[in-house]
Amino acid sequence: MPEIKLKNVTKKYGSLVAIDHLSLSIKNGEYMCVLGPTGAGKTTLLKLIAGVVRPTEGEIYSDGQSVNDLPPEERGTALMFQGFALFPHLTVLDNILFGPLSKGVRYKDAFKIGMDTLDMVKLGRRARSYPAELSGGMQQRVALARSLASGAKTLLLDEPLGALDARLRTELRRDIKTLVKDLDLTAVHITHDQEEAVSIADRIALLRDGKIEQVDTPIDFYRHPKTIFAAHFLGGANLLEGVVRRVTPEGSVIDLGREIDVMVSFKDLKEGKLVVVGVRLERTCLRRAAFRQNSLLGRVEAVRFLGEFIKYDVVLDRIESAASCKIPSKSPEKFGAGEKVYVHFNPDDCVVFPSPRLGLRKEIEVI
Ligand SMILES: Nc1ncnc2c1ncn2[C@@H]1O[C@H](COP(=O)(O)OP(=O)(O)OP(=O)(O)O)[C@@H](O)[C@H]1O
Ligand SMILES: [Mg+2]
């Protein structure tokens, strides 16, 4: 269960900067999920920790010791890709024994390690099966057992559940998390599935252009996104551009233009400054009548049933913007497409960001 530290690490492929002066600490026994748009450098980050690629600059430490010069096999890490290839011609057990045996562990000892790890992933009874005879989820667990049997203390998982169906994903991610905690391992898990990250991560690292945008617990990401990009990428938010008109003891008035303003609780703002107000979709609601403040007139454009929530997309009147909200499906109040509504939110639920240099649209453009 080592602590991994990256200090000012840069990885260039020719002139392309894949990781850009990145510093990150992953604590002992921590389950860290890594999120970010495609090309952000997630896989490169894992490869750097695994030692498969070397940093162009900077240092990587494991428990305080620099591992820059250690080959991958001596780093105690196991890198698992989505295509976790098992040897198809070897049984489940032989797949697992491969690592220990090739390291010179005696067969008897390797066998014990193999059976123990198989029991851990609840596949002891399938030791003699071949990979093709197992389901996708079982194969995934064999791959995990194989990593564990090779003595890895840090699991590096690159979209390990990507190919599986939704139900199995949910089940397996819980299994992996439990295993990591029970065995006191450290895990770095790349996923593109936000819900997955939020439900299993101790902390989430959001990557963008080779840099860390934010590292935080899921709840802090939700409550205190540090940037517009973080708010937009993780969880989503309504984003409204405006100008700080007045700062009062109760909060600040943000002018959205066309004589529409909203109140935010933030007071640490400068009058005249261009800002973006962010409100989580779950903290936004719809009303049929206007409220005294923070009520934006609009028209429901789309209604989508999302299981626990109903998501309403609203085109706002007068200001060139749209807003969405997620209302619990069990709420008795329902709205129809085309209906005139007021989008409402609380000043306390607003986050205020400085207006991005290249404009809001550019800022949240995710390739
Ligand atoms: N071996 C390589 N040679 C050259 N460029 C590379 C190499 N590996 C990655 N890159 C580039 O480095 C950048 C980061 O790639 P990386 O694979 O780490 O992204 P990622 O965040 O894992 O993306 P995805 O979500 O698509 O898997 C990309 O621009 C990619 O094209
Ligand atoms: Mg990748």
Side-chain angles (χ1 to χ4, degrees), residues 125-184:
R125 291 168 57 190
R126 304 304 298 265
R128 301 286 169 205
S129 303
Y130 285 88
E133 296 163 2
L134 303 181
S135 71
M138 288 174 180
Q139 291 182 32
Q140 179 69 49
R141 279 187 275 158
V142 175
L144 196 62
R146 188 172 60 175
S147 304
L148 299 174
S150 68
K153 293 287 176 217
T154 304
L155 284 186
L156 304 171
L157 309 163
D158 196 348
E159 300 262 8
L161 309 174
L164 306 172
D165 72 65
R167 200 182 53 81
L168 197 56
R169 272 179 86 99
T170 317
E171 209 175 288
L172 266 177
R173 73 191 184 204
R174 230 180 290 129
D175 286 356
I176 297 180
K177 168 94 186 244
T178 310
L179 213 59
V180 165
K181 293 292 171 186
D182 285 354
L183 302 178
D184 237 351

CSV table of all heavy atoms in Angstrom, one decimal, residues 125-184:
chain,number,residue,atom,x,y,z
A,125,ARG,N,-13.1,-22.2,-7.7
A,125,ARG,CA,-13.7,-23.4,-8.4
A,125,ARG,C,-13.5,-23.4,-9.9
A,125,ARG,O,-13.8,-24.4,-10.5
A,125,ARG,CB,-15.2,-23.5,-8.0
A,125,ARG,CG,-15.4,-23.8,-6.5
A,125,ARG,CD,-16.8,-23.7,-6.1
A,125,ARG,NE,-17.7,-24.5,-6.9
A,125,ARG,CZ,-19.0,-24.4,-6.8
A,125,ARG,NH1,-19.6,-23.5,-6.0
A,125,ARG,NH2,-19.8,-25.2,-7.6
A,126,ARG,N,-13.0,-22.3,-10.4
A,126,ARG,CA,-12.8,-22.2,-11.9
A,126,ARG,C,-11.4,-22.3,-12.3
A,126,ARG,O,-11.0,-22.0,-13.4
A,126,ARG,CB,-13.5,-21.0,-12.5
A,126,ARG,CG,-14.9,-20.8,-12.1
A,126,ARG,CD,-15.8,-21.9,-12.6
A,126,ARG,NE,-15.8,-22.2,-14.0
A,126,ARG,CZ,-16.7,-21.7,-14.8
A,126,ARG,NH1,-17.7,-21.0,-14.4
A,126,ARG,NH2,-16.6,-22.0,-16.1
A,127,ALA,N,-10.5,-22.7,-11.3
A,127,ALA,CA,-9.1,-22.7,-11.6
A,127,ALA,C,-8.7,-23.5,-12.9
A,127,ALA,O,-7.7,-23.1,-13.5
A,127,ALA,CB,-8.4,-23.3,-10.4
A,128,ARG,N,-9.4,-24.5,-13.1
A,128,ARG,CA,-9.0,-25.4,-14.3
A,128,ARG,C,-9.8,-25.0,-15.6
A,128,ARG,O,-9.6,-25.6,-16.6
A,128,ARG,CB,-9.3,-26.9,-14.0
A,128,ARG,CG,-8.6,-27.4,-12.8
A,128,ARG,CD,-7.1,-27.6,-13.1
A,128,ARG,NE,-6.4,-27.8,-11.9
A,128,ARG,CZ,-5.1,-27.6,-11.7
A,128,ARG,NH1,-4.4,-27.1,-12.7
A,128,ARG,NH2,-4.5,-27.9,-10.6
A,129,SER,N,-10.6,-23.9,-15.5
A,129,SER,CA,-11.3,-23.5,-16.8
A,129,SER,C,-10.3,-22.7,-17.6
A,129,SER,O,-9.3,-22.2,-17.2
A,129,SER,CB,-12.4,-22.6,-16.4
A,129,SER,OG,-13.3,-23.2,-15.5
A,130,TYR,N,-10.7,-22.6,-18.9
A,130,TYR,CA,-10.0,-21.7,-19.8
A,130,TYR,C,-10.7,-20.4,-19.9
A,130,TYR,O,-11.9,-20.3,-19.8
A,130,TYR,CB,-9.8,-22.4,-21.2
A,130,TYR,CG,-8.8,-23.5,-21.1
A,130,TYR,CD1,-9.2,-24.8,-20.8
A,130,TYR,CD2,-7.5,-23.3,-21.4
A,130,TYR,CE1,-8.3,-25.8,-20.7
A,130,TYR,CE2,-6.5,-24.3,-21.4
A,130,TYR,CZ,-6.9,-25.6,-21.0
A,130,TYR,OH,-6.0,-26.5,-20.9
A,131,PRO,N,-9.9,-19.3,-20.2
A,131,PRO,CA,-10.5,-18.0,-20.2
A,131,PRO,C,-11.8,-17.9,-21.1
A,131,PRO,O,-12.8,-17.3,-20.6
A,131,PRO,CB,-9.4,-17.1,-20.8
A,131,PRO,CG,-8.2,-17.7,-20.3
A,131,PRO,CD,-8.5,-19.2,-20.4
A,132,ALA,N,-11.8,-18.6,-22.2
A,132,ALA,CA,-13.0,-18.5,-23.1
A,132,ALA,C,-14.2,-19.1,-22.5
A,132,ALA,O,-15.3,-18.8,-22.9
A,132,ALA,CB,-12.6,-19.2,-24.4
A,133,GLU,N,-14.0,-19.9,-21.5
A,133,GLU,CA,-15.2,-20.6,-20.8
A,133,GLU,C,-15.8,-19.7,-19.7
A,133,GLU,O,-16.8,-20.0,-19.1
A,133,GLU,CB,-14.8,-21.9,-20.2
A,133,GLU,CG,-14.3,-22.9,-21.2
A,133,GLU,CD,-13.5,-24.1,-20.6
A,133,GLU,OE1,-13.4,-24.1,-19.4
A,133,GLU,OE2,-13.1,-24.9,-21.4
A,134,LEU,N,-15.2,-18.5,-19.5
A,134,LEU,CA,-15.7,-17.6,-18.4
A,134,LEU,C,-16.4,-16.4,-19.0
A,134,LEU,O,-16.1,-16.0,-20.2
A,134,LEU,CB,-14.5,-17.1,-17.6
A,134,LEU,CG,-13.6,-18.2,-16.9
A,134,LEU,CD1,-12.5,-17.5,-16.1
A,134,LEU,CD2,-14.4,-19.1,-16.0
A,135,SER,N,-17.2,-15.8,-18.2
A,135,SER,CA,-17.9,-14.6,-18.6
A,135,SER,C,-16.9,-13.5,-18.6
A,135,SER,O,-15.8,-13.6,-18.0
A,135,SER,CB,-19.0,-14.3,-17.7
A,135,SER,OG,-18.5,-13.9,-16.4
A,136,GLY,N,-17.3,-12.3,-19.2
A,136,GLY,CA,-16.4,-11.1,-19.2
A,136,GLY,C,-16.0,-10.7,-17.8
A,136,GLY,O,-14.9,-10.4,-17.6
A,137,GLY,N,-17.0,-10.7,-16.9
A,137,GLY,CA,-16.7,-10.3,-15.6
A,137,GLY,C,-15.8,-11.2,-14.9
A,137,GLY,O,-14.9,-10.8,-14.1
A,138,MET,N,-15.9,-12.5,-15.1
A,138,MET,CA,-15.0,-13.5,-14.5
A,138,MET,C,-13.6,-13.3,-15.0
A,138,MET,O,-12.6,-13.4,-14.3
A,138,MET,CB,-15.5,-14.9,-14.8
A,138,MET,CG,-16.8,-15.3,-14.0
A,138,MET,SD,-17.3,-16.9,-14.6
A,138,MET,CE,-18.7,-17.2,-13.6
A,139,GLN,N,-13.5,-13.1,-16.3
A,139,GLN,CA,-12.2,-12.9,-16.9
A,139,GLN,C,-11.5,-11.7,-16.3
A,139,GLN,O,-10.3,-11.7,-16.0
A,139,GLN,CB,-12.3,-12.7,-18.4
A,139,GLN,CG,-12.7,-13.9,-19.1
A,139,GLN,CD,-12.8,-13.7,-20.7
A,139,GLN,OE1,-12.0,-13.0,-21.2
A,139,GLN,NE2,-13.7,-14.4,-21.3
A,140,GLN,N,-12.3,-10.7,-16.0
A,140,GLN,CA,-11.8,-9.5,-15.4
A,140,GLN,C,-11.3,-9.8,-14.0
A,140,GLN,O,-10.2,-9.3,-13.7
A,140,GLN,CB,-13.0,-8.5,-15.3
A,140,GLN,CG,-12.6,-7.2,-14.6
A,140,GLN,CD,-11.7,-6.4,-15.5
A,140,GLN,OE1,-12.0,-6.2,-16.7
A,140,GLN,NE2,-10.7,-5.9,-15.0
A,141,ARG,N,-12.0,-10.7,-13.3
A,141,ARG,CA,-11.5,-11.0,-12.0
A,141,ARG,C,-10.2,-11.9,-12.0
A,141,ARG,O,-9.4,-11.8,-11.1
A,141,ARG,CB,-12.6,-11.7,-11.2
A,141,ARG,CG,-13.6,-10.7,-10.6
A,141,ARG,CD,-14.6,-11.3,-9.7
A,141,ARG,NE,-15.7,-11.8,-10.5
A,141,ARG,CZ,-16.5,-12.8,-10.1
A,141,ARG,NH1,-16.4,-13.3,-8.9
A,141,ARG,NH2,-17.5,-13.2,-10.8
A,142,VAL,N,-10.1,-12.7,-13.1
A,142,VAL,CA,-8.9,-13.5,-13.2
A,142,VAL,C,-7.7,-12.5,-13.5
A,142,VAL,O,-6.6,-12.7,-12.9
A,142,VAL,CB,-9.0,-14.5,-14.4
A,142,VAL,CG1,-7.7,-15.2,-14.6
A,142,VAL,CG2,-10.1,-15.5,-14.2
A,143,ALA,N,-8.0,-11.5,-14.3
A,143,ALA,CA,-6.9,-10.6,-14.6
A,143,ALA,C,-6.5,-9.8,-13.3
A,143,ALA,O,-5.3,-9.6,-13.1
A,143,ALA,CB,-7.4,-9.6,-15.6
A,144,LEU,N,-7.5,-9.5,-12.5
A,144,LEU,CA,-7.2,-8.9,-11.2
A,144,LEU,C,-6.4,-9.8,-10.3
A,144,LEU,O,-5.4,-9.4,-9.7
A,144,LEU,CB,-8.5,-8.6,-10.6
A,144,LEU,CG,-8.5,-7.6,-9.4
A,144,LEU,CD1,-8.0,-6.2,-9.9
A,144,LEU,CD2,-9.9,-7.4,-8.9
A,145,ALA,N,-6.8,-11.1,-10.3
A,145,ALA,CA,-6.1,-12.1,-9.4
A,145,ALA,C,-4.6,-12.2,-9.9
A,145,ALA,O,-3.7,-12.3,-9.2
A,145,ALA,CB,-6.8,-13.4,-9.5
A,146,ARG,N,-4.5,-12.2,-11.2
A,146,ARG,CA,-3.1,-12.3,-11.8
A,146,ARG,C,-2.2,-11.1,-11.4
A,146,ARG,O,-1.1,-11.3,-11.0
A,146,ARG,CB,-3.2,-12.3,-13.3
A,146,ARG,CG,-1.9,-12.7,-14.0
A,146,ARG,CD,-2.1,-12.9,-15.5
A,146,ARG,NE,-2.6,-11.7,-16.1
A,146,ARG,CZ,-2.7,-11.6,-17.4
A,146,ARG,NH1,-2.4,-12.6,-18.2
A,146,ARG,NH2,-3.2,-10.5,-18.0
A,147,SER,N,-2.8,-9.9,-11.4
A,147,SER,CA,-2.0,-8.8,-10.9
A,147,SER,C,-1.7,-8.9,-9.4
A,147,SER,O,-0.6,-8.6,-9.0
A,147,SER,CB,-2.9,-7.5,-11.0
A,147,SER,OG,-3.3,-7.3,-12.3
A,148,LEU,N,-2.6,-9.4,-8.6
A,148,LEU,CA,-2.4,-9.5,-7.2
A,148,LEU,C,-1.4,-10.6,-6.9
A,148,LEU,O,-0.5,-10.4,-6.1
A,148,LEU,CB,-3.7,-9.9,-6.5
A,148,LEU,CG,-4.8,-8.8,-6.6
A,148,LEU,CD1,-6.1,-9.3,-6.0
A,148,LEU,CD2,-4.4,-7.5,-5.9
A,149,ALA,N,-1.4,-11.7,-7.7
A,149,ALA,CA,-0.5,-12.8,-7.4
A,149,ALA,C,0.9,-12.4,-7.8
A,149,ALA,O,1.9,-13.0,-7.3
A,149,ALA,CB,-0.9,-14.0,-8.3
A,150,SER,N,1.1,-11.4,-8.6
A,150,SER,CA,2.4,-11.0,-9.0
A,150,SER,C,3.0,-10.1,-7.9
A,150,SER,O,4.1,-9.6,-8.1
A,150,SER,CB,2.4,-10.4,-10.4
A,150,SER,OG,1.8,-9.1,-10.3
A,151,GLY,N,2.3,-9.9,-6.9
A,151,GLY,CA,2.8,-9.2,-5.7
A,151,GLY,C,2.6,-7.7,-5.8
A,151,GLY,O,3.2,-6.9,-5.0
A,152,ALA,N,1.7,-7.3,-6.7
A,152,ALA,CA,1.5,-5.8,-6.9
A,152,ALA,C,0.9,-5.2,-5.7
A,152,ALA,O,-0.1,-5.8,-5.1
A,152,ALA,CB,0.7,-5.5,-8.1
A,153,LYS,N,1.3,-4.1,-5.2
A,153,LYS,CA,0.7,-3.4,-4.1
A,153,LYS,C,0.0,-2.1,-4.6
A,153,LYS,O,-0.8,-1.5,-3.9
A,153,LYS,CB,1.8,-2.9,-3.1
A,153,LYS,CG,2.5,-4.1,-2.4
A,153,LYS,CD,1.5,-4.7,-1.4
A,153,LYS,CE,2.1,-5.9,-0.7
A,153,LYS,NZ,1.1,-6.9,-0.5
A,154,THR,N,0.2,-1.8,-5.9
A,154,THR,CA,-0.5,-0.7,-6.5
A,154,THR,C,-1.2,-1.2,-7.7
A,154,THR,O,-0.5,-1.7,-8.6
A,154,THR,CB,0.5,0.5,-6.8
A,154,THR,OG1,1.2,0.8,-5.6
A,154,THR,CG2,-0.3,1.7,-7.4
A,155,LEU,N,-2.5,-1.0,-7.8
A,155,LEU,CA,-3.2,-1.4,-9.0
A,155,LEU,C,-3.4,-0.2,-9.9
A,155,LEU,O,-3.9,0.8,-9.4
A,155,LEU,CB,-4.6,-2.0,-8.6
A,155,LEU,CG,-4.6,-3.4,-8.1
A,155,LEU,CD1,-6.1,-3.8,-7.9
A,155,LEU,CD2,-3.9,-4.4,-9.0
A,156,LEU,N,-3.0,-0.3,-11.1
A,156,LEU,CA,-3.2,0.8,-12.0
A,156,LEU,C,-4.2,0.3,-13.1
A,156,LEU,O,-3.9,-0.6,-13.9
A,156,LEU,CB,-1.9,1.2,-12.7
A,156,LEU,CG,-0.8,1.5,-11.7
A,156,LEU,CD1,0.6,1.7,-12.4
A,156,LEU,CD2,-1.1,2.8,-11.0
A,157,LEU,N,-5.4,0.8,-13.1
A,157,LEU,CA,-6.5,0.3,-13.9
A,157,LEU,C,-6.9,1.3,-15.0
A,157,LEU,O,-7.3,2.4,-14.6
A,157,LEU,CB,-7.7,0.0,-13.0
A,157,LEU,CG,-7.4,-0.9,-11.7
A,157,LEU,CD1,-8.5,-0.8,-10.7
A,157,LEU,CD2,-7.2,-2.3,-12.1
A,158,ASP,N,-6.8,0.9,-16.2
A,158,ASP,CA,-7.1,1.8,-17.3
A,158,ASP,C,-8.4,1.4,-17.9
A,158,ASP,O,-8.4,0.4,-18.7
A,158,ASP,CB,-6.0,1.8,-18.3
A,158,ASP,CG,-6.1,3.0,-19.3
A,158,ASP,OD1,-7.1,3.7,-19.3
A,158,ASP,OD2,-5.1,3.2,-20.0
A,159,GLU,N,-9.5,2.0,-17.6
A,159,GLU,CA,-10.8,1.7,-18.0
A,159,GLU,C,-11.1,0.2,-17.9
A,159,GLU,O,-11.5,-0.5,-18.9
A,159,GLU,CB,-11.0,2.1,-19.5
A,159,GLU,CG,-10.8,3.5,-19.8
A,159,GLU,CD,-12.1,4.3,-19.8
A,159,GLU,OE1,-13.2,3.7,-19.6
A,159,GLU,OE2,-12.1,5.5,-20.1
A,160,PRO,N,-10.8,-0.4,-16.8
A,160,PRO,CA,-10.9,-1.9,-16.7
A,160,PRO,C,-12.3,-2.5,-16.9
A,160,PRO,O,-12.4,-3.6,-17.2
A,160,PRO,CB,-10.4,-2.2,-15.3
A,160,PRO,CG,-10.8,-1.0,-14.5
A,160,PRO,CD,-10.6,0.2,-15.4
A,161,LEU,N,-13.3,-1.7,-16.8
A,161,LEU,CA,-14.6,-2.2,-16.8
A,161,LEU,C,-15.3,-1.8,-18.1
A,161,LEU,O,-16.5,-2.0,-18.3
A,161,LEU,CB,-15.4,-1.8,-15.6
A,161,LEU,CG,-14.8,-2.1,-14.3
A,161,LEU,CD1,-15.6,-1.5,-13.1
A,161,LEU,CD2,-14.6,-3.6,-14.1
A,162,GLY,N,-14.6,-1.1,-19.0
A,162,GLY,CA,-15.2,-0.5,-20.1
A,162,GLY,C,-16.0,-1.4,-21.0
A,162,GLY,O,-17.0,-1.0,-21.5
A,163,ALA,N,-15.6,-2.6,-21.1
A,163,ALA,CA,-16.2,-3.5,-22.1
A,163,ALA,C,-17.4,-4.3,-21.6
A,163,ALA,O,-18.1,-5.0,-22.3
A,163,ALA,CB,-15.2,-4.5,-22.6
A,164,LEU,N,-17.7,-4.1,-20.3
A,164,LEU,CA,-18.7,-4.9,-19.7
A,164,LEU,C,-20.1,-4.2,-19.6
A,164,LEU,O,-20.2,-3.0,-19.7
A,164,LEU,CB,-18.3,-5.2,-18.2
A,164,LEU,CG,-16.9,-5.8,-18.1
A,164,LEU,CD1,-16.5,-5.9,-16.7
A,164,LEU,CD2,-16.9,-7.2,-18.8
A,165,ASP,N,-21.1,-5.0,-19.4
A,165,ASP,CA,-22.4,-4.4,-19.4
A,165,ASP,C,-22.7,-3.7,-18.1
A,165,ASP,O,-22.0,-4.0,-17.1
A,165,ASP,CB,-23.5,-5.5,-19.7
A,165,ASP,CG,-23.7,-6.5,-18.6
A,165,ASP,OD1,-24.1,-6.0,-17.5
A,165,ASP,OD2,-23.4,-7.6,-18.8
A,166,ALA,N,-23.7,-2.9,-18.0
A,166,ALA,CA,-23.9,-1.9,-16.9
A,166,ALA,C,-24.0,-2.6,-15.6
A,166,ALA,O,-23.4,-2.2,-14.6
A,166,ALA,CB,-25.1,-1.1,-17.2
A,167,ARG,N,-24.7,-3.7,-15.5
A,167,ARG,CA,-25.0,-4.4,-14.2
A,167,ARG,C,-23.7,-5.0,-13.7
A,167,ARG,O,-23.4,-4.9,-12.5
A,167,ARG,CB,-26.1,-5.4,-14.4
A,167,ARG,CG,-26.7,-5.8,-13.1
A,167,ARG,CD,-27.7,-6.9,-13.3
A,167,ARG,NE,-27.1,-8.1,-14.0
A,167,ARG,CZ,-26.4,-9.0,-13.5
A,167,ARG,NH1,-26.2,-9.0,-12.2
A,167,ARG,NH2,-25.9,-10.0,-14.2
A,168,LEU,N,-23.0,-5.6,-14.6
A,168,LEU,CA,-21.7,-6.3,-14.2
A,168,LEU,C,-20.7,-5.2,-13.8
A,168,LEU,O,-19.9,-5.4,-12.9
A,168,LEU,CB,-21.2,-7.1,-15.4
A,168,LEU,CG,-20.1,-8.1,-15.1
A,168,LEU,CD1,-20.6,-9.1,-14.0
A,168,LEU,CD2,-19.8,-8.9,-16.3
A,169,ARG,N,-20.7,-4.1,-14.5
A,169,ARG,CA,-19.8,-3.0,-14.1
A,169,ARG,C,-20.0,-2.6,-12.7
A,169,ARG,O,-19.0,-2.5,-11.9
A,169,ARG,CB,-20.1,-1.8,-15.0
A,169,ARG,CG,-19.4,-1.7,-16.3
A,169,ARG,CD,-19.9,-0.4,-17.0
A,169,ARG,NE,-19.1,0.7,-16.5
A,169,ARG,CZ,-18.1,1.2,-17.3
A,169,ARG,NH1,-17.8,0.7,-18.4
A,169,ARG,NH2,-17.4,2.2,-16.8
A,170,THR,N,-21.2,-2.4,-12.3
A,170,THR,CA,-21.5,-1.9,-11.0
A,170,THR,C,-21.1,-3.0,-10.0
A,170,THR,O,-20.5,-2.6,-8.9
A,170,THR,CB,-23.1,-1.7,-10.9
A,170,THR,OG1,-23.5,-1.1,-12.1
A,170,THR,CG2,-23.4,-0.9,-9.7
A,171,GLU,N,-21.3,-4.2,-10.3
A,171,GLU,CA,-21.0,-5.3,-9.3
A,171,GLU,C,-19.4,-5.4,-9.2
A,171,GLU,O,-18.9,-5.4,-8.1
A,171,GLU,CB,-21.5,-6.6,-9.9
A,171,GLU,CG,-21.9,-7.6,-8.9
A,171,GLU,CD,-22.5,-8.8,-9.7
A,171,GLU,OE1,-23.7,-8.6,-10.1
A,171,GLU,OE2,-21.9,-9.8,-9.8
A,172,LEU,N,-18.8,-5.4,-10.3
A,172,LEU,CA,-17.3,-5.5,-10.3
A,172,LEU,C,-16.6,-4.4,-9.7
A,172,LEU,O,-15.6,-4.5,-9.0
A,172,LEU,CB,-16.8,-5.7,-11.8
A,172,LEU,CG,-16.7,-7.2,-12.1
A,172,LEU,CD1,-16.3,-7.3,-13.6
A,172,LEU,CD2,-15.7,-7.9,-11.2
A,173,ARG,N,-17.1,-3.2,-10.0
A,173,ARG,CA,-16.4,-2.0,-9.4
A,173,ARG,C,-16.4,-2.1,-7.9
A,173,ARG,O,-15.5,-1.7,-7.2
A,173,ARG,CB,-16.9,-0.7,-10.0
A,173,ARG,CG,-18.2,-0.3,-9.5
A,173,ARG,CD,-18.7,0.9,-10.3
A,173,ARG,NE,-19.9,1.4,-9.9
A,173,ARG,CZ,-20.8,2.1,-10.6
A,173,ARG,NH1,-20.5,2.3,-11.9
A,173,ARG,NH2,-21.9,2.5,-10.2
A,174,ARG,N,-17.6,-2.6,-7.4
A,174,ARG,CA,-17.7,-2.7,-5.9
A,174,ARG,C,-16.7,-3.8,-5.4
A,174,ARG,O,-16.0,-3.6,-4.4
A,174,ARG,CB,-19.1,-3.1,-5.5
A,174,ARG,CG,-19.7,-2.2,-4.5
A,174,ARG,CD,-21.1,-2.5,-4.1
A,174,ARG,NE,-22.0,-2.2,-5.1
A,174,ARG,CZ,-23.0,-3.0,-5.6
A,174,ARG,NH1,-23.1,-4.3,-5.1
A,174,ARG,NH2,-23.8,-2.6,-6.5
A,175,ASP,N,-16.6,-4.9,-6.2
A,175,ASP,CA,-15.7,-6.0,-5.8
A,175,ASP,C,-14.2,-5.5,-5.8
A,175,ASP,O,-13.5,-5.8,-4.9
A,175,ASP,CB,-15.8,-7.1,-6.8
A,175,ASP,CG,-17.0,-7.9,-6.7
A,175,ASP,OD1,-17.8,-7.7,-5.7
A,175,ASP,OD2,-17.3,-8.8,-7.5
A,176,ILE,N,-13.9,-4.7,-6.8
A,176,ILE,CA,-12.5,-4.2,-6.9
A,176,ILE,C,-12.2,-3.3,-5.7
A,176,ILE,O,-11.2,-3.5,-5.1
A,176,ILE,CB,-12.2,-3.5,-8.2
A,176,ILE,CG1,-12.4,-4.5,-9.4
A,176,ILE,CG2,-10.8,-2.9,-8.3
A,176,ILE,CD1,-12.2,-3.8,-10.8
A,177,LYS,N,-13.1,-2.4,-5.5
A,177,LYS,CA,-12.9,-1.5,-4.4
A,177,LYS,C,-12.7,-2.2,-3.0
A,177,LYS,O,-11.8,-2.0,-2.3
A,177,LYS,CB,-14.1,-0.5,-4.3
A,177,LYS,CG,-14.2,0.3,-3.1
A,177,LYS,CD,-13.5,1.7,-3.3
A,177,LYS,CE,-13.5,2.5,-2.0
A,177,LYS,NZ,-14.2,3.7,-2.0
A,178,THR,N,-13.6,-3.2,-2.8
A,178,THR,CA,-13.5,-4.0,-1.5
A,178,THR,C,-12.2,-4.7,-1.5
A,178,THR,O,-11.6,-4.7,-0.4
A,178,THR,CB,-14.7,-5.0,-1.5
A,178,THR,OG1,-15.9,-4.3,-1.8
A,178,THR,CG2,-14.8,-5.7,-0.2
A,179,LEU,N,-11.8,-5.3,-2.6
A,179,LEU,CA,-10.6,-6.0,-2.6
A,179,LEU,C,-9.4,-5.1,-2.3
A,179,LEU,O,-8.5,-5.4,-1.5
A,179,LEU,CB,-10.4,-6.6,-4.0
A,179,LEU,CG,-9.7,-8.0,-4.1
A,179,LEU,CD1,-10.4,-9.0,-3.3
A,179,LEU,CD2,-9.7,-8.4,-5.6
A,180,VAL,N,-9.4,-4.0,-2.9
A,180,VAL,CA,-8.3,-3.0,-2.7
A,180,VAL,C,-8.2,-2.6,-1.2
A,180,VAL,O,-7.2,-2.5,-0.7
A,180,VAL,CB,-8.5,-1.8,-3.6
A,180,VAL,CG1,-7.6,-0.6,-3.2
A,180,VAL,CG2,-8.2,-2.1,-5.1
A,181,LYS,N,-9.4,-2.4,-0.6
A,181,LYS,CA,-9.4,-2.0,0.8
A,181,LYS,C,-9.0,-3.1,1.7
A,181,LYS,O,-8.2,-3.0,2.6
A,181,LYS,CB,-10.8,-1.4,1.1
A,181,LYS,CG,-11.1,-0.1,0.4
A,181,LYS,CD,-10.2,1.0,0.9
A,181,LYS,CE,-10.4,2.3,0.1
A,181,LYS,NZ,-9.5,3.4,0.4
A,182,ASP,N,-9.6,-4.3,1.4
A,182,ASP,CA,-9.3,-5.5,2.2
A,182,ASP,C,-7.8,-5.8,2.2
A,182,ASP,O,-7.2,-6.2,3.2
A,182,ASP,CB,-10.0,-6.7,1.8
A,182,ASP,CG,-11.5,-6.6,2.2
A,182,ASP,OD1,-11.8,-5.7,2.9
A,182,ASP,OD2,-12.3,-7.5,1.8
A,183,LEU,N,-7.2,-5.7,1.0
A,183,LEU,CA,-5.8,-6.1,0.9
A,183,LEU,C,-4.8,-4.9,1.1
A,183,LEU,O,-3.6,-5.0,0.9
A,183,LEU,CB,-5.6,-6.7,-0.5
A,183,LEU,CG,-6.4,-7.9,-0.9
A,183,LEU,CD1,-6.1,-8.4,-2.3
A,183,LEU,CD2,-6.2,-9.0,0.1
A,184,ASP,N,-5.4,-3.8,1.5
A,184,ASP,CA,-4.5,-2.6,1.8
A,184,ASP,C,-3.7,-2.2,0.6
A,184,ASP,O,-2.5,-2.0,0.7
A,184,ASP,CB,-3.6,-3.0,2.9
A,184,ASP,CG,-3.8,-2.0,4.0
A,184,ASP,OD1,-4.4,-1.0,3.8
A,184,ASP,OD2,-3.2,-2.3,5.1
